Amino acid sequence: MIEPIDDLGLTVLSRILWHAFLSSRVDKLPREEFLKHQRERLQQAIAHGYSKTKFWRNWLDRSGVRPDDIMEIEDLRRIRVCTKYDLLAQPLEDRMADDPKNCIVRSSSGTTGGPMKSYYSKSYYDYLAGYYIQGHYLRIRGILGIGPLDKLMRITHGNPSDVRTISGRTKSLGFTSRLVGPLHDYFARNVTLGDDIDEILPEIRKFKPDFIKSTPSYLRLLAHSVSSEGIEEIRPKALMTGGEVLDEPTRKYLQEVFGCKTYQGYSASEIGKIGFECETRIGLHVSDSVIVEILKDGSPTLPGESGNIVVTCLLNDAMPMIRYDLGDVGSWANSPCSCGRNTPLLESVDGRREDHLTFSPNRIISPKSLMSMLHRDMSLPPSQLVQETDDVCRLRVFAKVKSKGISNLLDEVQAFLGSQTKVELSLEPSQELRVKFRPVISYKNLRDKRWTLVN
Ligand SMILES: [Zn+2]
């Protein structure tokens, strides 16, 4: 039974702070203790999904598995992997372990497989809020060099952000909100970006954020404006990216323009937080609220080997998610991180599976390697590489005339893809930025074309 939150503000706040305290400790548990902790949470999550939802009961039955069979993390492999299409094929009520009216709802952008609503239980939301507070005000204070009094800004495309939802949540906390709400609004701001960065520049300049969270595409746009207009007021102490792959040339460019470090986060609306970079920035630490598997042909990959990212959420009681294939490709790090955290470490998240250029079953190219090429010279206009057929790719550059730099980029992409692939150049007169600008896409794989740069 979940308590109504509106009249229990202090209780909720204390739970959030408790989660913040817990998550600051779990990361650095000795490895064996951490695994024991995860094992127990996994057993509970599987038993809960099986007993409370028709969907997961049927799913486990069809896998020939009973909850008692899942004692170790490796036992998860006995359960079939589930995709968004499997979930959407069944009615929502079959997947819910709680009344949706008691839950906090999040919507995915629908980049892969169409939009899907996700429901978080209030206790899971408290965990995420605690993780957020711990992450931003305590952990990140140490990691990123920003302090509890520094101002945070998030630039999104209108999706509810953690900042806004926590702000909304504090407003529902009764008298507590009178204290927390204005303080929060002073220290954290959410702005939404449509197609034109100039529309939000005045607000960013006025707010003077110490820490900015956004997608790499939006931060690139902001960096272009800051550097071309010589804007002095936007001098954050750290940047955090999410929502898209961060390629290294983009990271380097952002760091040069803003003069601060850029960190990468990894989350999905269906799941919540999945991973974050620590001070070493050599990989993404997996959040203690999930178990991540990386699979190739159904088997776990070796460190450094690319595979499909499959996630089990351990804490969302409202809408259990077991062995959910996110549609992303990534790899494990070869060695543990030197920071002392014992959580599993992702070496890289390489982007959506459907954005990989697929020429044959044995010739699949990661969008991240191509994005690094497209973003190496930031003085060039924005560009996009589209795979059109098995042997034709199109380099779309948003410029009126072909420059020497554009010719060089074309030659470089052609040399990279080899003579068996023809790379054609299109100069496009104007760009129209969509929710998530995908610099590399494959029409061959694309089911949903809404998020391309130009329709
Ligand atoms: Zn680390």
Coordinates of all heavy atoms in Angstrom, one line a residue, residues 278-280 285 337-341 345, ligand 1:
C278 N 32.0 8.8 -13.4 CA 32.6 9.3 -12.2 C 33.7 10.3 -12.6 O 33.9 10.6 -13.8 CB 33.1 8.2 -11.3 SG 34.6 7.4 -12.0
E279 N 34.5 10.7 -11.7 CA 35.6 11.7 -11.9 C 36.6 11.2 -13.0 O 37.3 12.0 -13.6 CB 36.2 12.1 -10.6 CG 36.9 11.0 -9.8 CD 35.9 10.3 -8.8 OE1 34.8 10.1 -9.2 OE2 36.4 9.9 -7.8
T280 N 36.7 9.9 -13.1 CA 37.8 9.4 -14.0 C 37.3 9.4 -15.5 O 38.1 9.5 -16.4 CB 38.1 7.9 -13.7 OG1 37.0 7.1 -14.1 CG2 38.5 7.7 -12.3
H285 N 29.5 4.0 -14.6 CA 29.1 3.1 -13.5 C 27.6 2.7 -13.6 O 26.8 3.7 -13.7 CB 29.4 3.7 -12.2 CG 30.9 3.8 -11.9 ND1 31.6 2.8 -11.3 CD2 31.8 4.8 -12.0 CE1 32.8 3.1 -11.2 NE2 33.0 4.4 -11.6
C337 N 37.1 0.4 -12.2 CA 37.5 1.9 -12.2 C 38.4 2.1 -11.0 O 38.2 1.5 -9.9 CB 36.2 2.7 -12.1 SG 36.5 4.4 -12.2
S338 N 39.3 3.1 -11.1 CA 40.2 3.4 -10.0 C 39.6 4.2 -8.9 O 40.2 4.5 -7.9 CB 41.4 4.1 -10.6 OG 41.0 5.3 -11.3
C339 N 38.3 4.7 -9.1 CA 37.7 5.6 -8.2 C 37.3 4.9 -6.9 O 36.9 5.5 -5.9 CB 36.5 6.3 -8.8 SG 35.1 5.1 -9.0
G340 N 37.2 3.5 -6.9 CA 36.9 2.8 -5.7 C 35.4 2.3 -5.7 O 35.0 1.6 -4.8
R341 N 34.6 2.7 -6.7 CA 33.2 2.2 -6.8 C 33.3 0.8 -7.3 O 34.0 0.5 -8.3 CB 32.4 3.1 -7.7 CG 32.1 4.4 -7.0 CD 31.3 5.4 -8.0 NE 31.2 6.7 -7.3 CZ 32.1 7.6 -7.3 NH1 33.2 7.4 -7.9 NH2 31.9 8.7 -6.6
L345 N 31.0 -1.6 -14.6 CA 31.5 -0.5 -15.4 C 31.3 -0.7 -16.9 O 31.8 -1.6 -17.5 CB 32.9 -0.2 -15.1 CG 33.5 1.1 -15.6 CD1 32.9 2.3 -14.9 CD2 35.0 1.1 -15.5
Ligands
ZN1 ZN 34.8 5.4 -11.2

